Amino acid sequence: MAAEVVLRGRDQERATVQELLAASRAGQGSALVITGGSGTGKSSLLKAAPTAGFRVLTAQGVPAESALEPAGLHRLLQPLTDRLPESLRLATGLAPGSPSSTFARQTELHRLLCELATEDPVLVLVDDAGSLDRPSLEALAFVARRAAGHRLAVLFALEPHRGENPLTGLPVLELRPLDDPAAMEVLSDLSPLGLSEDFAEEVLRLAGGNPLALTELARTGELPPDSALRARLRARFDALSPDTRRLVLLAVADEDLELDSVIRAELETEALEEARAGGLLVLRGERVELATQLTRSVLRTEVPVSDHRQAHALLADVLDSEQHTSRWLWHRAAMSREPIEGQAGELGAAAARARRTGDYPAASLASERAASLARSPQDKAAHLLAAAADEWSTGRPRRSRAMLREAAVHVRGRELRGLADFVRGGIELGDSVPGTAVRSLLKASDELLDSHRPLAVTALVFAAEAASIAGDQADHATTAARAAALRRTDEPPATALMFDHLEGMAATFAGDHLAARPALDRAVRLATELPDPRSKIWGSQAAYVLGRASRSLELATQAAAAARDTGMTSLVPWALVYKSLAALLLDQHSISLDSSLEGVREATAMGQPNTVVDHLTILALMAALQGDKTTAVHRLHLAAADVSRRGLGRPSTFGSWTLACVDLVDNRPADALNRLRLLAVDTGRVHPGIKVMTAPHFVEAAVACGRQAAAAKVLQQFEGWATGTGCPARLALSHRSHALLAGTHPSADEHFREAIRLHRVGGTPMELAKTELFYGHRLRRDRQPKAAREHLRDALRIFQQYDSDHFVGLVRAELRASGDTIAPTRTTATAELTPQQSQIARLAAEGATNREIGAQLFISHRTVEHHLRNIFARLEVRSRVELARLLG
């Protein structure tokens, strides 16, 4: 039976049920209450339970029988009539006579099921438990609480409900809405021939991750008249008290409804509690919101228009016209049967004021409402495009696309077309094939040049970023050339920064690092002075290319903060990319790890899969540089499909670099060399900036394979970059590479010593440790064991601090070979945890399973187990309980 049930996005929930049933088979009986709103898949999860080997008993709640006592037990025990004791036959109506007491009935039921479990494991499935009659549900809850020690499992499916819950105290598994990828899989299952992107996005928006809603919306985008979900929502609404229905309609009318307005409307808190218990409203802080967009969609069509107008009138009466201008204007307009002259303009002005304060959600809503009241197609399009831009800025690309679709039929003229292409290109930069974004943004730049010149230049910088993500040097160069032709001598600072950024990056990609430096210098200087997040991001990128990692990190951190402060949250994941890279250049792995983990979460929530992939590949490279090949490969595997499908050259180049590092960790220098050699000859879409950065590993691999000539050629380009930027960290790597190339020549010592000095100046301890490992190896081979041990011991301490087991093993082997019989050992009680260990320890202390920890940190559950063993040893604890107590 389980094999026939297809459940998307419920792997963790299925695993929980499987673990519970496995434990029950082994005599460790238990129970679980699966809860969630209508259509979330509770019944499907019960049907998917792996029942092989179990005697399965079912009790299906039936609303029509909820008052018939004990109808549920009657249905459950009918198949066991010949095994029932007389007391249960009487209690369930399966034999004539007077029933026994409630407690006797419950204990007899427990005894019977435990007796059956001695023959075969018993699984009791209780679907729609809230519709069971009360005595039956109480009896099954009694059994569930006493399942431990028996081969007995009880699974309940229960919708949240108001009032006393007989299942209180039992373990609960809440089914949350499906995420977008899982929801898209559901739609693909329902429509094998595919759905248009626009239609699919609208269905996803309305369904809000509800599997039943996805199923019912998949055909037409609306719930059909005979929809089970529509009927449930309407029935739930109709069952509410009059005041509660009025409150729900206020939430339908106002997406920003707050508790203060509810109180001003003289609606009692009991109404709010009733609506929450009925699953129609949720309370988030001081805001009262509908549980789903689908609730709004259904009630807008199911409830008479006159009732909606009354809700608008009530809100217009209780809202302050100055404090909540745009909302008050809207409700006043919605009270009328016909739009009043000037109302659209008033709402548009209110949207502009909200935009200036960084309240983009309010600006978007006001613009959307202005569009609904606008009389001319051009005005309607302008308001919708403003709303689309606001939604994009705040990180809601799906809503932005919806606004663009609605505006499309009204857009006329170059200016409006340019604005539409600019927003579309910005969205595509985060979630589409980068080449598509380049085309949209270049088109936008042409159309906006006369009417919105700064925006036209911004479109060019975004187009260049898209070309960079694709690894398309030709597109990048073309875009930069177009920008250079537009530059004036009197550009304002923000525009001048964009031109400098494009000029410097184009020269960098062309390999002319000396020519790039002045423009990038100017970009960094201007970014330091300008407050807006985009300027900070571009300045951070310029500083990174120049090797000014500390300044790059500072600007990227400022960019993320400014993006949040100004409401332009869609820029946060992008800023975090450069924060992670700058921290990685400084060997500040803790900052880089935290930044990219946050970047993945933020980019996922904002529908920016391209940025998700950027962060995953940075995380993979970080793991590879630490010698953790399992984690590196695991993270690359998570990103691989999008890298290939979307043609992402920048993450692809990071991926090749990462795999080359893994090859070196596995002592396969020939494989690493072949992998990096393909980058060196520009095979496929390769990001030229990242390609240059791989040179030290190319040299390491080539020297190990006896290919010194190839190594020298690649090193020459890297040295030009390092020298041109003057970055100590990169100059150190250049000297280390020269030392490896020198082999046994005396100049190797000079290069090693200079590399060590520069590593310390640049503050890159991890690379310092690797250089000391290389140098220690050379000194040992040159029969200078004492000098070798000094460098190797320094390297060992650093690698231990970074929890780099692979490199710790290499250093220990070198120390033994150099005659060090008492190698330093890892300290335990006072040792600090590494960044990744700290993350794992915190999550474990909070109760997360190994699989849950792995999913959050993008590592395998076996890697989590390995790290937990080291964490327990370092902190001298023996269990998660002790760990939670220590960290609490």
Side-chain angles (χ1 to χ4, degrees):
M1 177 175 67
E4 299 175 0
V5 179
V6 178
L7 286 178
R8 300 297 188 185
R10 298 297 189 204
D11 292 347
Q12 189 64 47
E13 291 83 353
R14 293 187 74 164
T16 299
V17 172
Q18 289 167 1
E19 290 173 6
L20 181 145
L21 295 188
S24 297
R25 286 191 189 93
Q28 301 171 20
S30 186
L32 185 66
V33 180
I34 301 167
T35 184
S38 298
T40 51
K42 301 179 295 297
S43 299
S44 297
L45 190 57
L46 289 187
K47 292 174 183 176
T51 59
F54 279 95
R55 180 196 290 268
V56 181
L57 302 174
T58 60
Q60 172 73 49
V62 179
E65 297 182 0
S66 61
L68 298 177
E69 303 176 1
L73 290 182
H74 183 273
R75 292 166 64 88
L76 178 82
L77 299 176
Q78 255 189 326
L80 301 173
T81 304
D82 58 334
R83 300 288 301 268
L84 296 184
E86 187 65 19
S87 59
L88 277 180
R89 290 167 60 83
L90 292 171
T92 57
L94 293 170
S98 300
S100 56
S101 69
T102 297
F103 181 73
R105 178 174 61 221
Q106 293 175 351
T107 53
E108 281 294 328
L109 177 62
H110 178 257
R111 188 194 62 77
L112 170 67
L113 296 179
C114 291
E115 182 180 298
L116 291 172
T118 62
E119 303 168 8
D120 294 298
V122 174
L123 171 60
V124 180
L125 299 176
V126 188
D127 200 3
D128 198 5
S131 296
L132 279 182
D133 61 280
R134 186 59 177 251
S136 294
L137 185 58
E138 289 177 344
L140 289 168
F142 180 91
V143 170
R145 293 190 184 93
R146 292 160 178 79
H150 304 281
R151 296 195 299 168
L152 172 63
V154 188
L155 299 181
F156 298 89
L158 177 72
E159 284 200 21
H161 68 287
R162 197 179 189 189
E164 186 181 351
N165 180 6
L167 303 181
T168 298
L170 292 175
V172 174
L173 174 64
E174 183 179 358
L175 297 190
R176 300 192 178 278
L178 300 178
D179 60 21
D180 283 356
M184 280 301 300
E185 287 182 347
V186 173
L187 289 182
S188 298
D189 292 338
L190 296 168
S191 308
L193 298 180
L195 297 170
S196 74
E197 183 178 351
D198 290 350
F199 180 79
E201 286 190 354
E202 183 63 16
V203 170
L204 290 181
R205 185 184 74 84
L206 280 175
N210 184 292
L212 179 58
L214 288 165
T215 302
E216 296 190 340
L217 289 165
R219 290 185 180 178
T220 64
E222 297 181 355
L223 294 182
D226 60 348
S227 158
L229 196 53
R230 179 188 288 272
R232 290 180 195 175
L233 286 171
R234 181 58 200 259
R236 195 175 296 170
F237 178 77
D238 290 342
L240 300 174
S241 65
D243 270 359
T244 306
R245 287 200 298 271
R246 194 174 299 115
L247 170 59
V248 171
L249 290 182
L250 292 185
V252 171
D254 194 332
E255 296 182 18
D256 291 319
L257 184 65
E258 64 283 276
L259 274 174
D260 183 62
S261 296
V262 173
I263 294 170
R264 286 171 177 271
E266 298 182 354
L267 294 171
E268 300 295 335
T269 54
E270 286 80 1
L272 177 58
E273 290 306 313
E274 184 184 357
R276 291 173 66 190
L280 292 175
L281 292 182
V282 293
L283 184 61
R284 292 189 174 93
E286 292 295 308
R287 289 182 56 166
V288 180
E289 300 177 3
L290 291 170
T292 65
Q293 283 294 327
L294 196 63
T295 306
R296 175 174 281 106
S297 175
V298 168
L299 294 183
R300 275 178 175 168
T301 58
E302 291 285 321
V303 176
V305 172
S306 58
D307 290 353
H308 288 298
R309 285 206 185 102
Q310 289 176 11
H312 285 295
L314 181 54
L315 285 166
D317 187 48
V318 301
L319 288 173
D320 187 297
S321 61
E322 293 187 4
Q323 184 180 358
H324 306 293
T325 305
S326 63
R327 292 166 61 201
W328 177 79
L329 287 169
W330 165 245
H331 294 305
R332 190 187 64 167
M335 291 165 48
S336 309
R337 295 181 181 274
E338 296 292 336
I340 300 172
E341 186 72 34
Q343 287 179 326
E346 289 179 312
L347 276 169
R353 287 193 295 273
R355 198 172 295 120
R356 284 194 294 272
T357 64
D359 192 352
Y360 288 97
S364 171
L365 190 57
S367 291
E368 185 180 0
R369 289 167 172 172
S372 70
L373 299 175
R375 298 190 173 186
S376 78
Q378 289 291 87
D379 287 345
K380 186 180 290 290
H383 289 306
L384 287 170
L385 291 176
D390 293 332
E391 295 289 353
W392 170 43
S393 294
T394 199
R396 298 199 291 184
R398 190 180 304 143
R399 288 287 296 147
S400 184
R401 285 186 186 276
M403 298 296 101
L404 288 175
R405 286 194 299 272
E406 192 175 346
V409 295
H410 306 293
V411 169
R412 300 290 185 275
R414 286 174 59 83
E415 180 180 349
L416 291 181
R417 285 198 303 270
L419 291 171
D421 284 326
F422 180 77
V423 176
R424 186 178 297 109
I427 297 170
E428 291 165 346
L429 178 60
D431 76 356
S432 188
V433 175
T436 304
V438 171
R439 289 189 291 274
S440 295
L441 290 163
L442 291 180
K443 185 180 174 186
S445 180
D446 286 342
E447 292 165 330
L448 292 171
L449 192 57
D450 294 333
S451 57
H452 297 277
R453 189 170 183 277
L455 202 58
V457 179
T458 305
L460 288 176
V461 186
F462 281 164
E465 174 69 10
S468 174
I469 292 171
D472 192 327
Q473 189 172 351
D475 266 358
H476 192 283
T478 300
T479 303
R482 290 174 68 163
L486 298 176
R487 187 162 194 171
R488 299 170 180 168
T489 58
D490 58 344
E491 300 288 357
T495 310
L497 183 153
M498 291 189 280
F499 282 117
D500 285 331
H501 179 271
L502 283 168
E503 178 186 340
M505 294 306 296
T508 297
F509 285 176
D512 194 347
H513 304 294
L514 288 176
R517 185 166 184 168
L520 295 176
D521 275 335
R522 292 193 299 269
V524 173
R525 186 169 59 253
L526 286 168
T528 304
E529 299 167 358
L530 292 167
D532 67 285
R534 289 175 183 168
S535 295
K536 298 288 186 188
I537 292 172
W538 294 323
S540 174
Q541 187 178 12
Y544 179 77
V545 171
L546 289 170
R548 299 175 190 169
S550 295
R551 177 54 58 87
S552 178
L553 179 60
E554 178 186 355
L555 287 170
T557 303
Q558 291 173 359
R564 291 190 177 95
D565 290 344
T566 60
M568 301 177 71
T569 50
S570 64
L571 298 176
V572 171
W574 187 22
L576 293 176
V577 167
Y578 294 105
K579 182 177 180 179
S580 295
L581 288 174
L584 196 56
L585 181 59
L586 290 166
D587 281 349
Q588 295 184 9
H589 288 204
S590 175
I591 293 175
S592 189
L593 177 68
D594 289 346
S595 177
S596 272
L597 288 175
E598 181 185 358
V600 171
R601 290 191 294 270
E602 295 271 11
T604 300
M606 295 181 194
Q608 299 177 12
N610 292 347
T611 315
V612 170
V613 171
D614 261 339
H615 281 292
L616 283 175
T617 51
I618 292 169
L619 287 167
L621 178 62
M622 185 190 313
L625 292 174
Q626 291 176 309
D628 186 352
K629 62 181 183 180
T630 302
T631 297
V633 171
H634 179 74
R635 287 168 174 170
L636 284 185
H637 176 73
L638 294 175
D642 275 333
V643 169
S644 175
R645 183 171 59 248
R646 298 171 184 274
L648 305 179
R650 183 167 72 192
S652 175
T653 312
F654 271 128
S656 295
W657 185 8
T658 298
L659 291 174
C661 292
V662 169
D663 290 334
L664 290 171
V665 167
D666 272 345
N667 196 27
R668 298 195 309 270
D671 291 343
L673 179 61
N674 286 333
R675 202 181 301 277
L676 294 175
R677 184 175 55 80
L678 292 176
L679 294 181
V681 297
D682 290 329
T683 302
R685 289 291 178 89
V686 175
H687 192 281
I690 300 168
K691 180 184 70 175
V692 174
M693 295 167 63
T694 67
H697 292 101
F698 185 101
V699 172
E700 181 182 340
V703 169
C705 295
R707 300 283 299 278
Q708 276 79 359
K713 182 178 179 181
V714 169
L715 178 56
Q716 184 178 7
Q717 186 179 14
F718 179 82
E719 187 173 24
W721 184 37
T723 304
T725 61
C727 171
R730 289 172 185 155
L731 288 169
L733 293 175
S734 177
H735 278 285
R736 183 174 81 193
S737 298
H738 276 293
L740 294 175
L741 268 174
T744 59
H745 193 276
S747 63
D749 291 278
E750 182 180 344
H751 282 299
F752 271 127
R753 286 194 292 269
E754 182 63 8
I756 290 170
R757 184 187 72 81
L758 287 166
H759 281 310
R760 288 174 175 151
V761 171
T764 51
M766 188 76 171
E767 291 302 332
L768 167 63
K770 291 178 184 177
T771 298
E772 296 210 86
L773 170 58
F774 283 125
Y775 193 23
H777 172 75
R778 182 183 183 283
L779 290 170
R780 180 183 66 77
R781 295 289 295 271
D782 287 351
R783 299 184 180 182
Q784 300 180 57
K786 182 179 178 181
R789 288 194 292 268
E790 290 178 7
H791 290 288
L792 292 171
R793 287 168 180 163
D794 285 346
L796 182 61
R797 283 191 289 271
I798 294 171
F799 286 136
Q800 287 177 335
Q801 289 170 7
Y802 281 81
D803 199 35
S804 299
D805 290 345
H806 166 73
F807 291 109
V808 166
L810 292 180
V811 176
R812 286 189 184 282
E814 287 290 338
L815 280 167
R816 286 193 296 271
S818 69
D820 193 335
T821 56
I822 309 177
T825 58
R826 186 196 303 272
T827 57
T828 55
T830 60
E832 291 185 2
L833 299 181
T834 66
Q836 186 153 281
Q837 286 178 335
S838 296
Q839 295 265 8
I840 292 170
R842 177 181 57 80
L843 291 169
E846 292 172 357
T849 66
N850 287 357
R851 289 187 182 277
E852 290 169 340
I853 294 170
Q856 289 199 47
L857 302 183
F858 309 104
I859 57 180
S860 71
H861 67 91
R862 291 186 178 86
T863 301
V864 175
E865 293 170 5
H866 167 76
H867 282 299
L868 277 174
R869 287 194 294 271
N870 288 343
I871 290 167
F872 285 3
R874 281 195 175 196
L875 300 181
E876 295 184 332
V877 298
R878 292 174 294 178
S879 68
R880 287 173 180 250
V881 174
E882 291 184 19
L883 180 65
R885 190 179 301 123
L886 177 66
L887 299 182

